[in-house]
Amino acid sequence: MQSYDIAPGVDAALGDFRVPERLGFGLVTAPVMYSVEYRDGAWGRGRLLPYAPIEVWPGSRALQYAELVFEGMKAYRVGRAWPNLFRAEDNCRRLARSAERLSMPAVPEPLFLEALDAVAGALAPSVPGQSGRALYLRPFLFGTESGYMLRNSTTFRFMVMASPVEPYATGAIRVLIERKDVRAVVGGVGEAKAAANYAASLRASTAAVARGCAVALWLDAGPQRTIQELSGMNLFAVIDGGLVTPALDGAILPGITRDSLIKLARHRGQRVLERRMPIDELLEQIASGACSELFACGTAAVVSPIAALVDADATEHAPARVDAVAAELREALLAIQERRVADPFGWTRDVARPPAAAPWARAVAG
Ligand SMILES: Cc1ncc(COP(=O)(O)O)c(C=O)c1O
């Protein structure tokens, strides 16, 4: 049964869309989006629409007070006609936790999945088929009520937009240790996927890029001695042959890729420790060789090898090995995400078929 509406123009927008060869990450936006509104304490009926500008009040709390939380996930279609999602229910749970932290209404799981299925199902033929490429899906929830009063909105909107993407970074990245700014404090919104965290990180991210690095490495908001994460990725180190990652401290985003790698590495018999990671200790371990390798992980990058940590004074800390353990884990995880091997964890699920009334349902039948 179709439980969302299809706006005029969707079929034409899909028909006109050609996926270019060069995708980058977010350079190309898919021609459809999903939108559903919340008012009077309840979610309305969703709509699939052509991708286009939307109207929001200039005074909306999303614009004025960053009342906005989001997710990032991918649909994969490697060697198959129909795409699948990866741990979509976990993204839904994390969005609900983020919403709860900002005292916004949760998006119920059936509605969250309907939105993803609507967008990824309509775009099924445009989901890239080559390994490493995917359809990036960006669900986001924001407060639409206008007003300066410091309280939550009473009206909200949940949307999903999408982009066919290449891997976020190819090759080993350099990472700038951020010694001045802090991204998130315990008790704040760091462990929520809240737009405000990214606003706090943009100055350092821009400075990192200006210094030839891909991204900034964040330290704790107190004495700035303990590693948290990167601006859009979690961090792993190979220390004395085992994997070590910062323990979730209440300010780190609990990455779904991080959690998947912990489970996958343990399943493969590797040692994994979640613990406090002081930056000075890690730099000494790189110098002594005890830390042999570093890598970052996230939905966008999957697993990204790190060539060097660069300090504020330009000192470079380069581990002896680059992309050894990381390459193995990347391939093992990607093979599950892309359904090239059996999925022992039950992490993947098919995108639901479009409703029979959708004009593109016949085109993608089979
Ligand atoms: C700050 C931050 N940390 C970590 C991650 C990795 O999370 P995930 O693996 O769920 O994509 C992301 C990306 O979403 C992020 O924005």
Side-chain angles (χ1 to χ4, degrees):
M1 196 190 66
Q2 181 186 334
S3 51
Y4 56 90
D5 295 323
I6 297 168
V10 168
D11 200 35
L14 289 170
D16 289 345
F17 184 56
R18 298 284 171 275
V19 182
E21 182 45 35
R22 201 173 150 261
L23 297 176
F25 194 89
L27 293 182
V28 179
T29 307
V32 295
M33 62 188 187
Y34 176 99
S35 178
V36 60
E37 289 182 32
Y38 178 98
R39 60 180 66 248
D40 301 326
W43 287 101
R45 189 172 162 89
R47 286 188 100 197
L48 190 66
L49 306 146
Y51 181 75
I54 58 167
E55 288 198 338
V56 287
W57 289 112
S60 69
R61 283 173 171 78
L63 290 184
Q64 298 301 322
Y65 299 137
E67 193 185 33
L68 190 151
V69 293
F70 66 100
E71 275 302 318
M73 49 202 293
K74 283 177 176 169
Y76 307 83
R77 190 179 64 87
V78 176
R80 284 166 313 107
W82 195 248
N84 66 274
L85 299 172
F86 178 74
R87 300 191 70 174
E89 297 80 1
D90 291 293
N91 287 98
C92 181
R93 281 192 277 272
R94 187 169 67 186
L95 186 69
R97 289 198 306 273
S98 299
E100 209 265 325
R101 173 62 188 85
L102 272 76
S103 65
M104 300 162 76
V107 178
E109 189 175 286
L111 185 61
F112 183 86
L113 294 177
E114 170 185 288
L116 291 160
D117 285 335
V119 172
L123 292 165
S126 307
V127 179
Q130 307 96 319
S131 180
R133 295 186 164 204
L135 183 73
Y136 181 77
L137 293 154
R138 170 57 65 91
F140 56 110
L141 165 68
F142 56 100
T144 52
E145 190 186 345
S146 199
Y148 299 130
M149 285 287 289
L150 285 170
R151 61 155 175 78
N152 281 103
S153 288
T154 55
T155 56
F156 295 86
R157 188 159 170 176
F158 172 62
M159 299 187 71
V160 176
M161 58 184 194
S163 292
V165 293
E166 295 167 36
Y168 184 71
T170 46
I173 57 171
R174 287 151 45 84
V175 173
L176 187 66
I177 305 169
E178 175 56 46
R179 297 279 188 180
K180 198 159 69 53
D181 289 353
V182 294
R183 176 185 182 277
V185 301
V186 176
V189 294
E191 64 180 351
K193 204 160 166 66
N197 293 320
Y198 298 82
S201 74
L202 289 179
R203 177 164 71 178
S205 300
T206 303
V209 171
R211 292 185 59 178
C213 295
V215 68
L217 172 69
W218 294 98
L219 305 177
D220 70 276
Q224 290 188 262
R225 290 203 194 106
T226 308
I227 295 172
Q228 290 182 329
E229 60 179 321
L230 312 183
S231 296
M233 292 178 262
N234 294 110
L235 181 80
F236 278 85
V238 182
I239 298 174
D240 297 326
L243 291 166
V244 183
T245 190
L248 299 176
D249 65 350
I252 297 175
L253 187 81
I256 290 168
T257 317
R258 172 190 181 278
D259 183 69
S260 305
L261 288 178
I262 291 172
K263 294 192 166 99
L264 183 60
R266 286 185 179 145
H267 183 74
R268 290 159 56 92
Q270 285 164 293
R271 250 184 311 123
V272 187
L273 219 54
E274 295 175 75
R275 65 158 168 85
R276 187 175 161 261
M277 289 180 74
I279 182 70
D280 288 351
E281 182 189 281
L282 181 68
L283 298 183
E284 278 164 27
Q285 286 167 328
I286 294 171
S288 73
C291 169
S292 54
E293 189 177 337
L294 294 169
F295 59 89
C297 71
T299 297
V302 192
V303 172
S304 198
I306 295 177
L309 298 183
V310 181
D311 220 327
D313 64 2
T315 314
E316 303 233 348
H317 305 268
R321 301 177 80 188
V322 177
D323 211 17
V325 174
E328 282 173 23
L329 284 174
R330 180 173 56 247
E331 172 49 26
L333 180 60
L334 207 51
I336 293 175
Q337 291 172 325
E338 294 176 347
R339 285 195 169 166
R340 289 185 277 111
V341 297
D343 167 11
F345 306 98
W347 281 338
T348 64
R349 68 181 278 282
D350 269 349
V351 168
R353 297 276 164 175
W360 53 92
R362 218 170 316 115
V364 298

